[in-house]
Amino acid sequence: MEDSIAPPKIIENINVDSLAIGFDMLSDPLTGGLLRMLAASKPAGNLLELGSGTGLATAWLLDGMDRTSRLTTIDNDPQLLEILTRHIGDDPRLEVVCSDGDEFIKSIARQKFDLIFADTWAGKYRLLAETISLLKVGGLYIIDDMLPQPNWPVGHADKVAELILTLDRHPDLNIVKMSWASGIIIGVKSSPDDRTLNPID
Ligand SMILES: C[S@@+](CC[C@H](N)C(=O)[O-])C[C@H]1O[C@@H](n2cnc3c(N)ncnc32)[C@H](O)[C@@H]1O
């Protein structure tokens, strides 16, 4: 068996435009294929991507989603979002938000999602609890770049180790760690996080 995954056609064009502006934080094709498959597991799903970049993972997610699913993607860089919007912005299932990630997560505290791909600091290294509370029970939390990457800043490995420990011990998540692609963790929300608000007698 080989790790071969056929990308959606639009990926090539997004790649070209991304490299032209020097954006090199792109999700890799294996991660894209995984995201597409997981998006397809959530018919009529409400999906969220934190850290859109130029829309590579966004395009993979859209490729897996059915016609009634919805995806919100958010980034704070208008130049990157311009590339995303030019290539996939006319998809009626997609909402593109230009905002600070922390502010955005705080602003949607009452919403619930079937799948969250957390690909920026917010929702991964910051506001993790708030982000996991946005998942429905059975919803998926997905992160990549958990194996050492050439572009990690000094000290980042410690943050990664701490995050892995937190996710391993998280009471509301059932996780799997995969040393594959850039290093993926998938968590399934296995219990509601409002237990303290609605205690079971
Ligand atoms: C790893 S890249 C995202 C890659 C993208 N998901 C893909 O598939 O190619 C991380 C993104 O986080 C964005 N970002 C960094 N700080 C942010 C912030 N405070 N709020 C929102 N987005 C932020 C960057 O602009 C960058 O596009």
Side-chain angles (χ1 to χ4, degrees), residues 10-22 26 83 87:
I10 199 72
I11 290 291
E12 172 80 39
N13 298 339
I14 297 176
N15 257 328
V16 169
D17 284 359
S18 304
L19 296 176
I21 62 159
L26 303 158
I83 293 177
H87 289 290

Side-chain angles (χ1 to χ4, degrees), residues 50-197:
L50 299 166
S52 328
T54 51
L56 264 195
T58 322
W60 282 98
L61 287 164
L62 288 169
D63 205 43
M65 288 162 47
D66 70 5
R67 281 192 303 161
T68 59
S69 292
R70 296 283 175 270
L71 170 61
T72 304
T73 188
I74 172 252
D75 203 288
N76 68 349
D77 188 328
Q79 186 189 18
L80 303 180
L81 290 179
E82 188 278 323
I83 293 177
L84 180 153
T85 306
R86 185 152 34 87
H87 289 290
I88 52 178
D90 60 355
D91 191 315
R93 300 168 301 169
L94 179 65
E95 182 185 0
V96 182
V97 179
C98 187
S99 163
D100 174 68
D102 295 58
E103 294 307 316
F104 180 76
I105 289 169
K106 289 177 197 161
S107 75
I108 56 166
R110 291 183 173 275
Q111 295 188 34
K112 289 287 177 199
F113 294 90
D114 297 284
L115 182 156
I116 299 175
F117 177 46
D119 203 18
T120 187
W121 299 90
K124 191 173 176 183
Y125 298 103
R126 294 196 301 264
L127 299 182
L128 178 67
E130 289 82 350
T131 302
I132 289 171
S133 78
L134 295 173
L135 282 171
K136 297 176 189 173
V137 172
L140 300 172
Y141 175 78
I142 306 149
I143 53 177
D144 68 354
D145 292 340
M146 301 307 284
L147 288 172
Q149 303 296 313
N151 60 356
W152 278 8
V154 175
H156 189 64
D158 293 341
K159 286 193 171 63
V160 171
E162 196 183 325
L163 175 59
I164 292 171
L165 204 60
T166 304
L167 291 172
D168 257 334
R169 294 175 176 170
H170 199 289
D172 300 324
L173 280 184
N174 196 328
I175 72 161
V176 63
K177 293 172 282 187
M178 301 191 292
S179 296
W180 173 84
S182 64
I184 309 268
I185 296 182
I186 304 175
V188 180
K189 182 84 168 279
S190 50
S191 58
D193 50 12
D194 52 359
R195 286 167 298 176
T196 48
L197 299 175

Side-chain angles (χ1 to χ4, degrees), residues 5-53:
I5 296 174
K9 282 193 184 127
I10 199 72
I11 290 291
E12 172 80 39
N13 298 339
I14 297 176
N15 257 328
V16 169
D17 284 359
S18 304
L19 296 176
I21 62 159
F23 182 66
D24 64 355
M25 292 191 282
L26 303 158
S27 294
D28 75 64
L30 292 177
T31 305
L34 179 70
L35 290 171
R36 176 170 62 184
M37 181 272 287
L38 295 174
S41 79
K42 300 293 183 188
N46 190 24
L47 284 69
L48 174 64
E49 179 186 30
L50 299 166
S52 328

